[in-house]
Amino acid sequence: MQRKTYATINGDILTENVKEIIKKYPDYKYYFGVVKNNAYHHGTKSVLDLIKGGVNYLAVSSLEEAIKVRKYATEIPILCLEPIHLDYIMDAINNNVTLTVESLEYAQKLIKMDLYDTLKIHLAIDSGMHRLGFFDSEELKEAYDLLKENPHILIEGVFSHFATSGVMDPYFDKQVKTFLEITKSIPLKEIPIVHMGRSLTLVNHPKLSFCNGIRLGIILYGFSQSRKEGKSLQSKLRKLKRTWLQKKYKCSKTILENDLSLKTAMELYTETISIRPVHKGDVVGYNTFKIEEEGYILTLPIGYADGVNKSFKYVYINGEYLKIVGDCMDMLLVFSPKKFSIGTKVEIFGTHIPISSVCKVLGINAYHLFNQISNRVVRVHIHENEEEEITY
Ligand SMILES: Cc1ncc(COP(=O)(O)O)c(C=O)c1O
């Protein structure tokens, strides 16, 4: 690695996270690891750590992503959550990728194809997100019957995706009801895998009895989403309001607090590549910051093209939290009252600046933070104390 800007990905942490989740929520048969967008930007190699922990199905967004995952994991089934263009169905079969069938029109075209090998499919149901999936029970039945007749097609699963987290939210219950209404035209019990939930569903709701699969994304990467009940008056009032809403709208039970012990696996580092003295009254960067005391500008080879801009506010260097005073596409400028030498390691987030605090400062969630750390940043996979640099 020439440009020393890198994200470390601790694979052992990912494995432990999966084990912990399965230990605390053991009632599913299928634990899908959602590894879209380069495993939430942890790097596709992370699929091996997730599988080691117990994930037994993977889910991605596109055939391209599935093929990248296949380079690392040859056996595990992979569900493509978006419909794959029919021109590429053979690539899906050849790579053992499970297809999403989400409309009657798609099913009608699919059965006309000359399939020579078994194609596994999951039927997507639109239970309220209005994004993908069957929304009409009769159309679902027609598609089911057509697909069932085809000797090369195996209807392996049915799924849906919640539009809401469902905490004190009557819309969550409505989505479950809609799913059951739409699927009443097909023999749901005969379909091997039924999956509706994601990370928040797992921790916030009792298990849905008819689901034996759960798709897990952000939770695998270290976010337990536990919301501790505080003891302050404000927390007590909030709890009262929630209980009142729950009764008023007859919402099903939600669980806010959980005892999952998970860790984040990604840390982001760079190092100083230049240093210069600055004086009171100097203006640095693209005229972004006026210096008010004598000190130094440290130049770091990381910028908004890597996903880091001056909204990040601080970096950590050798026991000091130093202010970011300028950003460019490729570099950040940091003010330091004291001199550091070139080549000093800099933490953008990690042990001293936790991801959760960066998210708070930036006003974004962990999904956005992970996904904005671009692929230009080298991923250093750590596995049982061995390190491997990978550029995706
Ligand atoms: C269809 C589908 N299922 C599951 C997930 C995983 O969600 P989460 O990261 O909240 O667990 C996603 C994430 O975008 C998704 O689109």
Side-chain angles (χ1 to χ4, degrees):
M1 183 192 335
Q2 179 278 129
R3 185 180 187 241
K4 297 248 180 303
T5 293
Y6 56 95
T8 57
I9 308 297
N10 191 321
D12 302 327
I13 288 182
L14 293 175
T15 303
E16 287 311 311
N17 283 351
V18 181
K19 283 187 184 163
E20 166 77 358
I21 293 163
I22 297 178
K23 191 171 102 194
K24 301 267 166 70
Y25 299 90
D27 297 333
Y28 291 89
K29 189 168 174 195
Y30 297 95
Y31 292 87
F32 288 74
V34 180
V35 292
K36 50 167 113 169
N37 198 24
N38 207 11
Y40 285 39
H41 265 181
H42 286 63
T44 306
K45 190 170 186 219
S46 308
V47 300
L48 296 178
D49 306 307
L50 299 175
I51 293 168
K52 196 170 165 205
V55 151
N56 53 8
Y57 218 120
L58 295 174
V60 295
S61 291
S62 66
L63 181 60
E64 283 86 352
E65 285 184 357
I67 290 170
K68 282 183 189 157
V69 169
R70 268 285 164 259
K71 289 199 181 121
Y72 290 99
T74 50
E75 300 297 326
I76 190 164
I78 305 172
L79 169 65
C80 183
L81 295 163
E82 291 172 20
I84 291 174
H85 195 288
L86 291 165
D87 288 352
Y88 298 90
I89 294 304
M90 291 310 163
D91 293 324
I93 293 181
N94 292 338
N95 285 283
N96 184 18
V97 176
T98 309
L99 226 70
T100 286
V101 175
E102 66 90 37
S103 67
L104 176 58
E105 185 183 331
Y106 189 90
Q108 285 163 335
K109 288 182 184 157
L110 183 63
I111 53 147
K112 290 199 184 112
M113 299 205 55
D114 185 20
L115 303 171
Y116 56 82
D117 212 344
T118 304
L119 174 66
K120 280 184 291 180
I121 66 121
H122 286 209
L123 296 161
I125 309 298
D126 180 3
S127 53
M129 189 152 183
H130 305 303
R131 181 171 78 171
L132 286 176
F134 288 90
F135 45 85
D136 181 277
S137 192
E138 287 313 306
E139 281 196 8
L140 174 67
K141 177 165 172 39
E142 203 177 327
Y144 179 88
D145 291 342
L146 286 176
L147 296 162
K148 192 85 187 151
E149 263 174 34
N150 190 307
H152 292 298
I153 292 176
L154 170 68
I155 305 174
E156 185 196 52
V158 182
F159 76 102
S160 173
H161 187 55
F162 285 110
T164 54
S165 66
V167 177
M168 306 308 146
D169 169 15
Y171 197 55
F172 178 85
D173 301 316
K174 187 166 179 281
Q175 290 168 87
V176 176
K177 207 167 145 225
T178 304
F179 179 86
L180 291 172
E181 268 165 19
I182 295 174
T183 54
K184 71 177 185 292
S185 60
I186 60 169
L188 194 60
K189 285 195 177 128
E190 287 172 23
I191 298 177
I193 314 176
V194 181
H195 48 114
M196 280 190 85
R198 58 190 169 107
S199 301
L200 275 170
T201 327
L202 179 81
V203 293
N204 286 342
H205 297 273
K207 182 178 173 295
L208 294 164
S209 59
F210 57 89
C211 288
N212 62 353
I214 185 100
R215 296 182 310 275
L216 304 175
I218 200 74
I219 201 168
L220 303 174
Y221 307 103
F223 287 85
S224 73
Q225 324 252 7
S226 184
R227 282 172 249 190
K228 292 236 181 312
E229 294 281 1
K231 289 202 169 73
S232 65
L233 182 64
Q234 209 182 16
S235 306
K236 283 180 186 151
L237 287 174
R238 234 185 273 133
K239 194 174 174 185
L240 272 177
K241 189 177 166 198
R242 271 201 311 270
T243 316
W244 176 75
L245 280 174
Q246 193 161 15
K247 278 199 184 123
K248 182 171 177 203
Y249 295 110
K250 297 189 177 62
C251 303
S252 61
K253 186 181 167 196
T254 42
I255 307 144
L256 289 182
E257 213 172 318
N258 64 65
D259 64 348
L260 279 171
S261 161
L262 307 175
K263 287 188 193 152
T264 51
M266 187 192 284
E267 299 186 351
L268 184 60
Y269 296 98
T270 186
E271 66 170 34
T272 53
I273 51 166
S274 187
I275 180 156
R276 65 211 53 251
V278 280
H279 309 285
K280 191 167 184 233
D282 284 350
V283 179
V284 302
Y286 290 119
N287 277 342
T288 43
F289 187 80
K290 195 163 174 200
I291 299 293
E292 280 167 2
E293 58 177 312
E294 301 294 298
Y296 297 87
I297 289 296
L298 316 179
T299 307
L300 314 179
I302 187 165
Y304 59 79
D306 303 289
V308 179
N309 56 29
K310 66 176 183 296
S311 317
F312 274 64
K313 305 290 181 225
Y314 291 93
V315 299
Y316 178 86
I317 311 179
N318 286 352
E320 317 258 352
Y321 291 90
L322 300 172
K323 190 172 168 55
I324 298 170
V325 293
D327 67 338
C328 318
M329 190 187 288
D330 311 305
M331 284 175 259
L332 284 184
L333 306 178
V334 167
F335 177 79
S336 165
K338 96 176 190 212
K339 198 171 176 184
F340 284 95
S341 52
I342 288 175
T344 306
K345 186 173 173 181
V346 179
E347 178 183 315
I348 306 291
F349 56 74
T351 325
H352 304 94
I353 306 179
I355 287 176
S356 52
S357 74
V358 176
C359 287
K360 213 178 255 174
V361 170
L362 267 66
I364 59 175
N365 58 33
Y367 296 87
H368 291 114
L369 180 63
F370 287 144
N371 281 293
Q372 82 179 51
I373 305 306
S374 75
N375 281 346
R376 191 166 84 162
V377 175
V378 175
R379 267 51 175 185
V380 178
H381 281 263
I382 303 169
H383 180 66
E384 288 171 4
N385 293 328
E386 289 203 355
E387 294 187 358
E388 185 187 355
E389 287 175 28
I390 304 183
T391 305
Y392 290 101

